[in-house]
């Protein structure tokens, strides 16, 4: 009986441990939401768009890369937020995007471009990684 009980409680401890250190910090690329909103502005006859990259996870995500092959803009894009690297683009200069934070940039082109996340580095920090 005594061995059963201690076995069960260590199982419980493992379960709790997993919940605490994985359940809360399991971020993936799908936890990046990309939104594109029309702004009231037109630039050189092209519609202006407001692009938001939202980290919907409890850990920071850095080195976010999205596909941007063929992306064009008549408006100068803030290179701190969105910069081309070959066929892809880095978001926020590769710096971490805090949990639930949004980074945003503006561009102008018709039609709007669909950005697809390619990779990110999840940084849950701590000694358990
Ligand atoms: C762009 O969208 C973000 C997030 O919705 C908002 O906070 C920001 O004010 C918008 N900027 C412009 C210029 O529309
Ligand atoms: C862009 O992303 C693609 C798809 O993941 C990858 O194969 C390619 O190496 C990337 N290009 C650059 C310049 O990072």
């Amino acid at each position: 009986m005594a061995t059963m009980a201690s076995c069960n409680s260590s199982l419980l401890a493992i379960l709790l441990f997993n919940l605490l250190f994985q359940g809360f910090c399991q971020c993936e690329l799908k936890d990046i939401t990309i939104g594109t909103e029309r702004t009231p502005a037109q630039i050189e006859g092209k519609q202006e768009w407001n692009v938001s990259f939202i980290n919907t996870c409890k850990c920071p995500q850095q080195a976010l890369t999205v596909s941007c092959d063929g992306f064009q803009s008549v408006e100068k894009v803030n290179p701190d937020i969105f910069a081309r690297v070959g066929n892809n683009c880095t978001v926020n200069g590769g710096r971490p995007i805090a949990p639930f934070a949004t980074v945003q940039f503006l561009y102008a082109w018709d039609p709007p471009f669909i950005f697809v996340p390619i990779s990110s580095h999840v940084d849950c920090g701590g000694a358990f990684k």
Side-chain angles (χ1 to χ4, degrees):
M1 275 304 241
T3 35
M4 277 280 280
S6 73
C7 187
N8 281 341
S9 58
S10 54
L11 253 181
L12 188 66
I14 290 168
L15 271 175
L16 279 175
F17 182 89
N18 281 344
L19 271 177
L20 282 174
F21 294 104
Q22 291 181 8
F24 284 152
C25 257
Q26 227 166 33
C27 301
E28 297 170 36
L29 199 53
K30 69 173 172 54
D31 298 316
I32 296 286
T33 298
I34 303 179
T36 298
E37 277 173 28
R38 190 183 287 269
T39 78
Q42 297 229 337
I43 292 163
E44 293 176 29
K46 307 278 190 198
Q47 177 62 49
E48 185 186 56
W49 305 94
N50 182 356
V51 184
S52 304
F53 301 91
I54 309 162
N55 178 10
T56 61
C57 187
K58 289 179 172 129
C59 300
Q61 296 207 51
Q62 63 186 6
L64 173 60
T65 302
V66 302
S67 65
C68 64
D69 200 12
F71 170 70
Q72 297 181 78
S73 176
V74 291
E75 179 175 7
K76 187 175 170 1
V77 168
N78 181 351
D80 244 19
I81 301 297
F82 201 72
R84 187 177 287 280
V85 180
N87 290 338
N88 309 321
C89 288
T90 56
V91 177
N92 205 30
R95 294 179 302 275
I97 303 172
F100 308 112
T102 299
V103 296
Q104 156 256 313
F105 77 94
L106 300 169
Y107 75 95
W109 197 256
D110 269 323
F113 192 89
I114 309 296
F115 301 104
V116 179
I118 290 177
S119 63
S120 75
H121 179 76
V122 176
D123 185 10
C124 289
F128 294 95
K129 275 215 81 190

